[in-house]
Amino acid sequence: MTLHAPLVQTGLDRLLAEPERLHALKGQRLGLLVNPTSITAELDHAIEALRAAGLNIVRLFGPEHGVRAEAQDMEVVEETIDPLSGLPCISLYGHTFESLKARPEHLEGLDRVICDIQDIGARYYTYVYTIGLMMQACGEASIPVTVLDRPNPINGVDIEGNIVLEGYDSFVGMQPIATRHAMTAGELAHYFNRFTDWTCDLDVIELKGWKRSMWFDQTGLPWVMPSPNMPTLDTATVYPGQCLIEGTNLSEARGTTRPFELVGAPYVDAPALKAYLESLKLEGVAYRLVAFRPMFQKHAGQTCRGLQLHITDRRQMRSLTLSYAIIAGVIAQGTEGFGWREQAYEFVNDRLAIDLLLGDPAQRRALEEGVDPRELAQANRSARAEFESRRNECLLYHD
């Protein structure tokens, strides 16, 4: 089957289309860090496409959710053999924080590791840290790394949020980058290689035809769910803010077909929350009263009262401001039902999940104290100035 030619060519498709690049890799023993998004424009997976091109793929590495992304969030992945290709597979998401980084024996015998995973554009999304930790492990083992770049699906222009403070780093914020960073995985790889200790002999195969202003549906590329609860581009658009709901006992609607776009809990006064949000006159979003019943995770089997977020203008919508407002609106209801998540979160059990997600406990305290969520979202500009300066040095694409 032949699909329409996309406007944007991914790093994988560029590698396959350029004989000199392929020739340079032939004869090498290659490891692949991949997941379901590692596809060509014709929907062939990188594993099969690169093997068909004559490359010797000897080992796979899987990030959170696994090579085929069948595991739910924070579910331990214990892969040893990929079920489709039959190749040996190393899980980089196990029982401990140490499992996130490839060990020397995992890299033994490899000449190069190729990384090809679609990011979402938000600091919490763990795939870019898996790439960074692979860079670090390969650097220590003197193995070069090639990153096949893919677009930032929510554009490469709009930056939101603060920078993670020292002491609040975790697998949802391992490096000092903004909540919505407006970089591609390839650009972040350069950032890591230049400004952190995740250093290696790095080669990034860049996108062709991508402009920073593009959203994913403007690239012509096929959308594949990067993870089980990221079904659509709309999900990705609200995710930079709505992932904060994970740090509360509100349901972010995992266990439904519209995760992150739905939000609520059995104790929420949904009409009052809707009225509060509408009073703020936030741009680019409308609200619909809903009741939903998650099939698993928070409030599983219970009817949650809440809202569905409908994006009316994605260029104007600021997800982080919106989600601050949702949390602030629920806190303002004064119900005894609301609380912060206290269970262990991404291998950390001595700090609140919301503090790890926000990267700064002062922001959580401001929400508790009733600070206007619009002001809170705007208060972070100076804190990210250093990040923006470093970011500008690593950008590969310009409109």
Side-chain angles (χ1 to χ4, degrees):
M1 180 180 67
T2 301
L3 303 180
H4 293 296
L7 297 175
V8 173
Q9 192 175 33
T10 66
L12 174 61
D13 281 320
R14 287 197 67 186
L15 172 59
L16 292 166
E18 299 178 10
E20 64 279 7
R21 287 187 185 272
L22 281 172
H23 180 75
L25 296 175
K26 287 186 177 178
Q28 295 188 28
R29 292 171 55 84
L30 301 173
L32 279 188
L33 172 55
V34 289
N35 77 350
T37 63
S38 314
I39 59 165
T40 69
E42 301 253 328
L43 299 177
D44 296 318
H45 197 277
I47 299 170
E48 288 73 40
L50 293 175
R51 290 171 101 181
L55 300 190
N56 183 21
I57 311 301
V58 299
R59 196 170 306 146
L60 304 179
F61 296 90
E64 184 178 7
H65 307 294
V67 166
R68 305 294 174 176
E70 68 271 29
Q72 283 292 331
D73 68 303
M74 290 186 280
E75 180 181 332
V76 171
V77 179
E78 295 180 338
E79 293 176 307
T80 54
I81 298 294
D82 174 47
L84 297 183
S85 69
L87 286 168
C89 183
I90 304 297
S91 169
L92 297 178
Y93 195 84
H95 292 273
T96 65
F97 184 81
E98 289 71 28
S99 71
L100 305 177
K101 180 181 173 181
R103 300 195 300 270
E105 60 266 31
H106 296 154
L107 301 172
E108 189 173 350
L110 295 180
D111 298 310
R112 179 178 295 270
V113 173
I114 298 175
C115 305
D116 182 20
I117 302 180
Q118 175 66 61
D119 183 40
I120 285 302
R123 179 175 69 211
Y124 335 105
Y125 217 57
T126 62
Y127 295 154
V128 293
Y129 305 128
T130 301
I131 292 173
L133 290 168
M134 178 61 79
M135 290 168 54
Q136 184 184 47
C138 286
E140 292 166 354
S142 299
I143 296 172
V145 174
T146 295
V147 173
L148 307 181
D149 211 2
R150 291 185 177 270
N152 185 319
I154 56 174
N155 83 53
V157 176
D158 296 319
I159 301 173
E160 296 182 62
N162 65 317
I163 308 302
V164 176
L165 296 181
E166 186 176 352
Y168 288 89
D169 53 306
S170 70
F171 200 41
V172 289
M174 291 193 76
Q175 296 292 354
I177 58 178
T179 312
R180 183 179 177 186
H181 48 69
M183 300 177 77
T184 68
E187 290 174 331
L188 282 168
H190 279 298
Y191 184 95
F192 298 152
N193 211 37
R194 184 165 184 170
F195 295 112
T196 79
D197 61 356
W198 292 350
T199 59
C200 66
D201 179 356
L202 175 67
D203 175 39
V204 174
I205 300 184
E206 300 176 12
L207 299 161
K208 187 175 182 179
W210 188 69
K211 298 186 178 186
R212 306 207 71 84
S213 59
M214 281 182 169
W215 295 71
F216 194 87
D217 57 8
Q218 296 171 320
T219 65
L221 294 167
W223 173 269
V224 173
M225 291 193 304
S227 54
N229 290 285
M230 194 62 60
T232 70
L233 180 57
D234 278 352
T235 321
T237 303
V238 300
Y239 179 79
Q242 284 299 90
C243 186
L244 296 178
I245 305 302
E246 291 186 14
T248 75
N249 66 357
L250 291 163
S251 171
E252 67 275 12
R254 294 180 188 271
T256 78
T257 57
R258 306 301 286 191
F260 300 107
E261 295 175 62
L262 295 170
V263 60
Y267 58 80
V268 169
D269 183 340
L273 179 60
K274 181 173 183 285
Y276 168 77
L277 292 172
E278 289 176 341
S279 74
L280 298 179
K281 301 186 185 306
L282 304 180
E283 294 183 295
V285 63
Y287 317 98
R288 182 174 67 88
L289 293 171
V290 297
F292 61 93
R293 186 174 300 167
M295 299 306 293
F296 54 83
Q297 293 203 9
K298 287 185 274 184
H299 308 299
Q302 300 180 59
T303 297
C304 295
R305 297 176 291 180
L307 302 173
Q308 181 171 354
L309 310 177
H310 290 263
I311 302 169
T312 58
D313 187 342
R314 64 189 182 185
R315 296 169 299 176
Q316 298 298 322
M317 204 254 319
R318 292 294 175 264
S319 178
L320 202 63
T321 306
L322 170 61
S323 299
Y324 281 160
I326 290 169
I327 295 171
V330 173
I331 291 175
Q333 292 183 5
T335 175
E336 295 182 358
F338 176 80
W340 304 112
R341 178 191 174 112
E342 296 182 348
Q343 301 97 323
Y345 186 73
E346 294 292 5
F347 309 102
V348 178
N349 56 20
D350 62 347
R351 281 156 292 172
L352 289 173
I354 191 66
D355 290 349
L356 299 176
L357 288 162
L358 288 169
D360 181 354
Q363 292 194 316
R364 186 238 320 152
R365 290 192 290 268
L367 287 167
E368 293 171 334
E369 294 164 4
V371 171
D372 188 313
R374 295 165 296 187
E375 295 179 7
L376 184 58
Q378 293 300 316
N380 302 312
R381 289 181 175 176
S382 60
R384 65 174 192 248
E386 183 178 2
F387 161 71
E388 291 193 34
S389 175
R390 290 179 168 185
R391 170 186 174 273
N392 290 339
E393 295 181 35
C394 300
L395 298 184
L396 301 173
Y397 315 98
H398 305 275
D399 281 359

